[in-house]
């Protein structure tokens, strides 16, 4: 008998077909709407494999219902939406999709950095709103990127890929990480500094750490107060790593020059969120890995991990 699986969002046919060959597949059939919790609670009781997105909270009460569950495959590199400890305790495998989205997410991180520094969104809106009456010396002026100092929190795959882009802009690059990476320091010409020095000396600070209990509000009021008033903060990791209320105050009071955000504490972010009222915030709807090729690769990799787990093999991207 084929193992039963549940997929929490409508995926491209190509990806679903791969799983149908060996599984009995049920799938939430909407693309733009997450599966309601009560449906997920029901479906999980019946399956050995769960294919989910970062929009689903896979917590202990839910896992308790999955009495036949062998594997939860997350179509994302981040897996803070899953209670991994609870899964481990029940012998349920958890997998993610690292690697395939590294370059695409680094591209977006750098794009957001540039858009924020040079006020691209605000400038485009200015033109479209008919406010462009003349060229003037200090109109819509921003911050230089070329030759500036970049500080990266979290030198994982994506962090290293951002460094490569920054080197093309002759940036001076600092990083801070749980562990030092001596090879990367030598190969990429970057310098390890402590958290406070990174904050004090960087013109751009990129947040690229995983979201865990240790990194919750990792950037709060105290950290923001160390940053230069001309500095820009970029977050393409997870919203909860930056204290949004503190960030709002710092940006509003001119303690920080700008912020580029792709992620929020609560997603989708509400359009009346205070941060969205500020002109010096460039806000994107969590599109870090959103290229056509990369999203397809992530979807296929998550399928592969799921199938490996169901066959009793060790999936390539096991996290527990
Ligand atoms: C997206 O944010 C991911 O974790 O893949
Ligand atoms: C994610 O792939 C990371 O390690 O940065």
């Amino acid at each position: 008998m084929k193992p039963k699986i549940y997929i929490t969002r409508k995926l491209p046919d190509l990806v679903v077909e791969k799983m149908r060959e060996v599984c009995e597949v049920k799938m939430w059939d909407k693309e733009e709407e997450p599966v309601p919790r009560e449906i997920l609670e029901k479906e999980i009781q019946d399956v050995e494999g769960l294919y989910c997105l970062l929009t689903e909270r896979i917590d202990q009460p839910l896992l308790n219902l999955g009495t036949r569950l062998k594997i939860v495959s997350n179509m994302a590199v981040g897996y803070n939406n899953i209670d991994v400890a609870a899964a481990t305790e029940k012998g349920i495998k958890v997998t993610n999709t690292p690697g395939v989205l590294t370059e695409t997410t680094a591209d977006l991180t750098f794009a957001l950095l540039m858009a924020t520094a040079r006020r691209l969104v605000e400038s485009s809106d200015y033109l479209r709103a008919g406010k462009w009456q003349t060229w003037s010396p200090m109109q819509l002026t921003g911050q230089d990127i070329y030759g500036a100092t970049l500080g990266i929190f979290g030198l994982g795959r994506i962090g290293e890929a951002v460094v490569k882009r920054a080197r093309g802009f002759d940036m001076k690059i600092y990083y801070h990480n749980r562990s030092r990476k001596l090879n990367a320091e030598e190969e990429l010409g970057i310098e390890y500094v402590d958290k406070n020095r990174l904050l004090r000396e960087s013109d751009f600070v990129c947040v690229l750490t995983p979201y865990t209990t240790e990194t919750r509000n990792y950037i709060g009021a105290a950290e923001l107060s160390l940053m230069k008033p001309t500095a820009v903060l970029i977050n393409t990791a997870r919203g909860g790593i930056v204290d949004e209320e503190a960030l709002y105050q710092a940006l509003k009071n001119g303690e920080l020059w700008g912020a580029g955000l792709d992620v929020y504490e609560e997603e989708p972010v509400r359009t009346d969120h205070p941060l969205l009222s500020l002109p010096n915030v460039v806000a994107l709807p969590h599109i870090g890995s959103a290229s056509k090729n990369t999203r397809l690769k992530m979807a296929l990799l998550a399928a592969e991990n799921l199938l490996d787990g169901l066959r009793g093999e060790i999936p390539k991207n096991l996290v527990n």
Side-chain angles (χ1 to χ4, degrees):
M1 229 178 53
K2 287 179 173 180
K4 291 182 179 171
I5 66 166
Y6 190 68
I7 304 174
T8 64
R9 195 71 64 92
K10 186 175 183 342
L11 297 175
D13 291 341
L14 168 78
V15 184
V16 184
E17 280 321 308
K18 213 174 123 103
M19 291 184 274
R20 267 196 220 288
E21 283 168 17
V22 280
C23 301
E24 200 179 305
V25 177
K26 271 184 97 173
M27 177 167 73
W28 176 246
D29 63 358
K30 297 194 172 67
E31 225 172 308
E32 298 294 337
E33 202 182 297
V35 60
R37 176 80 176 190
E38 60 281 9
I39 292 182
L40 185 53
E41 283 172 355
K42 182 173 151 288
E43 297 294 351
I44 202 169
Q45 299 182 29
D46 213 29
V47 297
E48 288 172 52
L50 181 70
Y51 184 118
C52 63
L53 311 186
L54 52 83
T55 45
E56 280 78 57
R57 194 162 39 83
I58 313 298
D59 53 17
Q60 187 162 28
L62 187 74
L63 290 167
N64 283 343
L65 296 171
T67 50
R68 300 158 186 235
L69 203 57
K70 292 185 176 153
I71 176 161
V72 175
S73 175
N74 208 36
M75 188 195 139
V77 65
Y79 47 87
N80 56 290
N81 56 311
I82 302 172
D83 185 339
V84 177
T88 307
E89 200 176 298
K90 296 177 170 303
I92 299 169
K93 293 185 172 71
V94 176
T95 60
N96 68 339
T97 61
V100 292
L101 48 62
T102 303
E103 302 299 340
T104 301
T105 306
D107 282 350
L108 188 279
T109 302
F110 214 78
L112 184 54
L113 182 156
M114 295 187 76
T116 310
R118 295 298 302 272
R119 303 169 64 176
L120 294 195
V121 177
E122 192 188 346
S123 296
S124 173
D125 290 348
Y126 179 89
L127 179 154
R128 286 170 185 269
K131 292 183 188 161
W132 189 25
Q133 303 298 334
T134 179
W135 187 94
S136 79
M138 297 308 281
Q139 178 185 65
L140 293 164
T141 47
Q143 303 293 342
D144 276 319
I145 300 154
Y146 188 85
T149 298
L150 170 67
I152 295 179
F153 283 119
L155 195 76
R157 283 169 283 247
I158 298 168
E160 289 197 22
V162 169
V163 168
K164 289 183 185 146
R165 286 149 182 79
R167 278 172 55 90
F169 286 74
D170 245 358
M171 294 178 99
K172 174 171 180 171
I173 304 163
Y174 292 142
Y175 80 101
H176 186 77
N177 200 53
R178 262 193 315 192
S179 56
R180 268 187 81 161
K181 298 202 161 172
L182 297 171
N183 284 345
E185 286 176 32
E186 195 167 323
E187 267 167 42
L188 302 171
I190 59 180
E191 189 182 339
Y192 177 88
V193 295
D194 66 34
K195 186 179 180 184
N196 288 356
R197 178 158 172 226
L198 187 148
L199 291 163
R200 271 198 303 268
E201 294 184 21
S202 298
D203 300 305
F204 296 91
V205 171
C206 282
V207 176
L208 288 166
T209 60
Y211 184 33
T212 63
T213 45
E214 286 115 75
T215 59
R216 180 166 169 75
N217 288 342
Y218 184 74
I219 306 290
E223 285 76 19
L224 293 165
S225 73
L226 295 177
M227 290 177 69
K228 301 180 186 181
T230 50
V232 171
L233 179 79
I234 303 295
N235 187 3
T236 51
R238 284 292 182 270
I241 303 169
V242 177
D243 178 339
E244 290 182 347
E245 170 60 24
L247 179 63
Y248 172 74
Q249 293 300 340
L251 287 164
K252 193 168 147 47
N253 301 332
E255 293 160 43
L256 190 65
W257 189 80
L261 307 173
D262 188 40
V263 289
Y264 309 86
E265 171 100 53
E266 256 181 62
E267 298 182 4
V269 69
R270 292 163 43 132
T271 51
D272 63 357
H273 191 296
L275 280 168
L276 299 193
S277 70
L278 300 173
N280 51 345
V281 169
V282 176
L284 302 177
H286 204 147
I287 57 166
S289 61
S291 77
K292 293 182 195 306
N293 280 337
T294 289
R295 283 289 169 83
L296 205 52
K297 282 188 202 162
M298 288 165 67
L300 286 166
L301 182 56
E304 218 175 283
N305 283 326
L306 184 82
L307 298 183
D308 284 350
L310 291 174
R311 271 194 297 267
E313 292 164 18
I314 308 281
K316 190 156 74 179
N317 307 116
L318 187 65
V319 302
N320 62 343

